[in-house]
Amino acid sequence: MFCRSNPVNLCKLLCINCANRCKKESLLFLFLFLIIFSIQKISRYTFEGFHQPLLCVDTNIPAVTPPPADGLIMTPNLRPNRWTPFNVTSSNDTVNRRIFFHETSGRNQLSLQQCCAVESAAKHNPDRPVQLFIRPFRDGCPGNGLSSSLPSALFHNPPWLDVLSHYPNVAAILLNEDHYFSGTPLQDWYRAGQWLKSQHEVAHLSDYIRILTLYKGGGLYLDTDILTLKPYKGDVFRNCLVYGSSRFEVFSNGVMHLERGHWLSAEIVRLLAAEYDPEAYAYHGPALVSEVMSRVCGVVAGNSKTNQCEDVKLLSDRFFYPIEAPFSDAIFNENENKTDVNTLSKIRKAYGLHLWNSLAYVHEPVRIDSNQIFSILARQHCPQTVSRASDFQS
């Protein structure tokens, strides 16, 4: 009777029931969507590689849960889970004056030449903080970091870390990459992960992260194949770029000092965030630095006197690149027990020497007791490394 006598009310009732059902189904659909989205996001962060749920030290040591910090200060004879957290911006005494290096291969190791480079910087500049940023080990590490039956898994004591621990001004930092990029203009580039698929992955990460470190905290960046020969004192090493060759055509990004907040690091970071080419090897490094200096400061290739930016000094190649790449084999040749005196004299006028580690495949192997120019210099500028030479992997 109700249906026949009140057809309008019946329709209203049916509409209300339908609306309630649709509302419930919509909420259920939204709930399921959020769950699926969260799973995909976690999966992407975990398995595509840009987010590290754990920091790997090496194949024997359990992984470390990353702190809400930029990294952990690596300390010999101390378990990794007790290493001290580190933040770039928390140490005001390091701003602008620090010397820093980045090792981005993901091996969590230094070669003899790399260790020598870091030691020489610390030895000649005892009044300046020296920071070595290490990318976490990338080839996997044990379990969840809770336990291990291996005695060797208690501590991380590679020879390079033992050497550098002799210098109180050195800090080796296991980098928490995701936190380091988080909140910066390069966060989206890092998390997109396109660089992980590039054949130039290590080089591109190196180009991006060195500029990011200058942007975040300032200081003097050195490549891990720059052997320091003299202290970096005086205003000449403040806010400076260095030419990579005697032709004065392209600036190197292997040696740069910029104070925190400098416009040049901000501009380079802006361009790196705006455009990324996974196929271009050098564009994000020397080519980009040179392009900005040309566009903003009017620098003409081959003529350092055209620089119109008074807050950026241009240093000639003789400061750090006295030996150019085509002649770098002279640094490692023995020449039948005769040292190349002329080359050695030219090098000793410089403040640092680029060892061209990228060309190691064409150089003679290092023989630390030989008359190779590198070996002669190493015995003087990185004695602790030399004393442990036999402990380094060839």
Side-chain angles (χ1 to χ4, degrees):
M1 291 294 294
F2 178 85
C3 293
R4 292 179 180 178
S5 60
N6 299 285
V8 175
N9 290 337
L10 175 62
C11 290
K12 289 182 178 179
L13 181 62
L14 291 174
C15 289
I16 291 172
N17 289 337
C18 182
N20 289 335
R21 182 179 178 184
C22 289
K23 184 176 181 180
K24 291 179 180 178
E25 289 178 352
S26 297
L27 290 174
L28 179 61
F29 176 81
L30 179 61
F31 179 72
L32 292 173
F33 174 80
L34 290 174
I35 291 177
I36 294 172
F37 178 79
S38 298
I39 292 174
Q40 288 179 334
K41 190 172 184 181
I42 292 172
S43 176
R44 177 190 169 197
Y45 283 12
T46 303
F47 298 110
E48 287 191 7
F50 84 82
H51 177 76
Q52 294 174 314
L54 295 171
L55 299 183
C56 294
V57 181
D58 68 23
T59 54
N60 293 325
I61 297 178
V64 181
T65 301
D70 288 332
L72 294 168
I73 299 176
M74 305 172 72
T75 307
N77 302 314
L78 187 66
R79 296 188 183 193
N81 59 8
R82 297 183 61 190
W83 288 346
T84 304
F86 169 87
N87 279 303
V88 168
T89 56
S90 64
S91 302
N92 291 329
D93 61 323
T94 67
V95 173
N96 302 326
R97 296 186 61 257
R98 66 172 172 174
I99 299 169
F100 69 93
F101 301 80
H102 276 282
E103 208 298 306
T104 57
S105 69
R107 296 180 295 110
N108 197 5
Q109 290 290 344
L110 296 187
S111 68
L112 184 147
Q113 292 97 309
Q114 290 175 317
C115 186
C116 183
V118 179
E119 180 187 355
S120 64
K123 181 177 184 293
H124 287 293
N125 300 275
D127 59 334
R128 299 180 69 163
V130 176
Q131 296 173 349
L132 168 65
F133 294 96
I134 299 280
R135 189 181 188 187
F137 192 72
R138 299 187 58 222
D139 293 335
C141 51
N144 56 13
L146 297 178
S147 64
S148 175
S149 60
L150 296 173
S152 60
L154 297 178
F155 308 110
H156 183 58
N157 294 333
W160 63 267
L161 187 57
D162 180 63
V163 165
L164 298 180
S165 68
H166 286 80
Y167 294 86
N169 59 327
V170 175
I173 299 144
L174 184 68
L175 204 60
N176 182 7
E177 283 184 4
D178 187 31
H179 188 279
Y180 199 74
F181 279 88
S182 180
T184 74
L186 298 181
Q187 172 182 294
D188 290 345
W189 171 84
Y190 179 78
R191 292 188 172 180
Q194 189 179 7
W195 58 278
L196 288 167
K197 303 172 185 177
S198 169
Q199 62 178 326
H200 309 303
E201 171 196 345
V202 173
H204 288 175
L205 175 61
S206 181
D207 287 338
Y208 270 68
I209 204 166
R210 70 185 69 180
I211 293 295
L212 180 61
T213 303
L214 286 172
Y215 175 83
K216 286 166 71 88
L220 174 63
Y221 169 77
L222 299 177
D223 272 347
T224 55
D225 58 353
I226 297 290
L227 178 65
T228 297
L229 306 176
K230 298 174 185 176
Y232 303 127
K233 293 187 179 295
D235 200 48
V236 67
F237 294 108
R238 180 178 170 224
N239 292 326
C240 63
L241 299 176
V242 182
Y243 281 103
S245 76
S246 58
R247 295 180 294 280
F248 296 95
E249 294 175 342
V250 178
F251 293 104
S252 166
N253 71 335
V255 180
M256 299 179 288
H257 181 278
L258 292 172
E259 295 177 337
R260 183 163 69 175
H262 197 283
W263 68 265
L264 181 55
S265 60
E267 175 64 7
I268 296 175
V269 162
R270 183 187 71 80
L271 294 172
L272 289 174
E275 182 177 355
Y276 173 62
D277 183 352
E279 303 300 323
Y281 176 70
Y283 171 73
H284 311 92
L288 183 57
V289 176
S290 301
E291 186 275 325
V292 172
M293 289 301 296
S294 173
R295 172 171 53 83
V296 179
C297 302
V299 176
V300 176
N303 186 355
S304 62
K305 295 181 180 180
T306 55
N307 180 26
Q308 298 172 18
C309 294
E310 296 182 357
D311 57 354
V312 182
K313 301 178 187 66
L314 309 184
L315 306 184
S316 74
D317 60 304
R318 66 181 177 83
F319 278 82
F320 292 93
Y321 297 88
I323 306 300
E324 297 188 27
F327 312 106
S328 59
D329 58 335
I331 302 171
F332 300 93
N333 287 344
E334 288 197 55
N335 296 322
E336 299 179 351
N337 295 321
K338 294 181 180 178
T339 301
D340 186 343
V341 177
N342 291 334
T343 300
L344 187 59
S345 176
K346 183 179 181 180
I347 290 171
R348 282 180 166 156
K349 295 177 182 177
Y351 282 83
L353 173 64
H354 189 205
L355 299 174
W356 300 102
N357 283 356
S358 61
L359 300 177
Y361 64 94
V362 299
H363 296 156
E364 291 185 21
V366 172
R367 285 178 283 275
I368 207 64
D369 295 323
S370 72
N371 69 334
Q372 291 175 322
I373 287 178
F374 169 74
S375 299
I376 292 172
L377 295 172
R379 292 194 289 269
Q380 177 183 356
H381 301 288
C382 57
Q384 294 289 341
T385 302
V386 170
S387 71
R388 296 288 303 273
S390 61
D391 296 326
F392 285 87
Q393 298 177 355
S394 58

